[in-house]
Amino acid sequence: MEQQLDPKTLRMLEKFANRRFQSTRANQRLRFVMSWWVIRNKIVGNLKRALDITVSLVAIALSSPIMLLTIIAIKLDSPGPVLFRQTRVGKDGEHFPCYKFRSMYIDAEQRKAELMAKNEADGPVFKMKHDPRITKVGRIIRKLSIDELPQLFNVLKGEMSLVGPRPALPSEVAKYNYDQIGRLHAIPGITGLQQVSGRSNVDFKRWVELDLQYISEQSIWKDLEILIKTIPAVLFSKGAY
């Protein structure tokens, strides 16, 4: 799939393509603005990638004892693999394997159809506050977001970023409308505006609005701000289940 540009760049290209300038100076000025915009996006992208790699490596090193304890707890709590590997949709619709610590029983996907009538989320997302498929250890690690620590390896592989829209399931993306598809114009993240604004307490319409807001405003400073806000959001487990 061809790589798509961010909304701001697309607007700049549309302006350049549709307008007719009589002044040579105006044409030169617009070309300069376009060139600077491309260079700026390249610089921001490289800085974001450097931040992702640096913070991920540090986070993996610091959280390795927690991950080891989690592996032992999952093995003792219920039968099945420690890691849960699920296909998710990344930037521009690319699929990738997303890693999590297993927090549900191994028959969770088969039991999902039975629970659809009890879905507490709107839109294409499935959420249940008291989901019977979640194990005892799973409730703890989901509450503290420990189940998402393996996604740091997705970040190192370049499939995810530290900050961005949460990666959706292919079945969810298939139900997106035109506006919701805009969530796929950025690399998905472990955390984002939705995670620091209430997590599961945010309805899907607001969730999409927050993701589109992040995509239009994204910068290194915005990423750092969200990462800092993620710490109290995880510690107080607001909206996590």
Side-chain angles (χ1 to χ4, degrees):
M1 184 178 294
E2 294 184 2
Q3 185 160 335
Q4 298 183 20
L5 300 174
D6 64 83
K8 288 185 178 179
T9 304
L10 287 173
R11 286 196 296 270
M12 292 290 292
L13 286 172
E14 184 178 357
K15 180 180 179 182
F16 183 76
N18 294 336
R19 293 194 60 178
R20 297 293 183 266
F21 292 95
Q22 301 300 323
S23 168
T24 302
R25 183 175 297 177
N27 277 316
Q28 291 174 340
R29 185 163 55 246
L30 183 57
R31 288 193 183 96
F32 173 78
V33 172
M34 285 296 300
S35 299
W36 166 246
W37 191 260
V38 171
I39 293 171
R40 176 194 175 277
N41 283 350
K42 187 69 174 177
I43 293 173
V44 170
N46 289 339
L47 288 175
K48 183 177 175 69
R49 182 60 183 151
L51 178 68
D52 283 345
I53 293 174
T54 302
V55 175
S56 294
L57 289 173
V58 172
I60 289 171
L62 293 177
S63 65
S64 56
I66 296 174
M67 288 196 277
L68 179 59
L69 290 174
T70 301
I71 290 171
I72 295 171
I74 292 173
K75 293 298 290 184
L76 295 175
D77 182 51
S78 63
V82 170
L83 284 179
F84 178 63
R85 181 180 179 273
Q86 188 177 48
T87 298
R88 296 276 177 152
V89 181
K91 187 173 187 277
D92 301 330
E94 293 290 338
H95 289 193
F96 70 94
C98 183
Y99 306 118
K100 298 180 75 173
F101 281 125
R102 181 176 60 83
S103 61
M104 293 185 173
Y105 294 103
I106 56 176
D107 62 347
E109 289 300 308
Q110 290 74 21
R111 295 169 61 188
K112 183 177 180 179
E114 306 169 8
L115 301 169
M116 287 302 296
K118 299 180 180 180
N119 184 17
E120 298 172 11
D122 62 336
V125 181
F126 179 84
K127 292 280 186 180
M128 273 186 72
K129 193 166 188 177
H130 302 290
D131 194 327
R133 302 173 300 161
I134 301 176
T135 65
K136 293 178 181 178
V137 169
R139 294 196 183 281
I140 298 172
I141 63 176
R142 286 166 73 102
K143 197 78 173 174
L144 299 174
S145 297
I146 294 173
D147 62 320
E148 296 177 358
L149 286 176
Q151 289 169 27
L152 291 169
F153 293 97
N154 285 119
V155 174
L156 288 180
K157 290 168 66 179
E159 298 161 338
M160 291 180 65
S161 178
L162 292 171
V163 182
R166 286 296 295 160
L169 293 166
S171 59
E172 295 171 353
V173 174
K175 300 175 184 177
Y176 280 3
N177 60 33
Y178 179 79
D179 292 332
Q180 293 163 354
I181 287 291
R183 296 185 72 247
L184 306 181
H185 292 163
I187 298 174
I190 296 178
T191 187
L193 274 181
Q194 186 253 350
Q195 280 66 39
V196 300
S197 303
R199 299 171 79 172
S200 296
N201 292 336
V202 177
D203 62 42
F204 188 68
K205 180 181 178 182
R206 180 58 178 156
W207 182 348
V208 173
E209 289 173 350
L210 290 169
D211 285 340
L212 296 181
Q213 178 185 334
Y214 168 77
I215 292 172
S216 66
E217 299 176 351
Q218 62 180 313
S219 66
I220 295 300
W221 302 117
K222 176 65 72 173
D223 281 13
L224 290 172
E225 178 187 348
I226 292 173
L227 287 172
I228 292 171
K229 288 183 177 180
T230 298
I231 297 172
V234 171
L235 291 177
F236 293 107
S237 303
K238 185 179 180 181
Y241 56 84

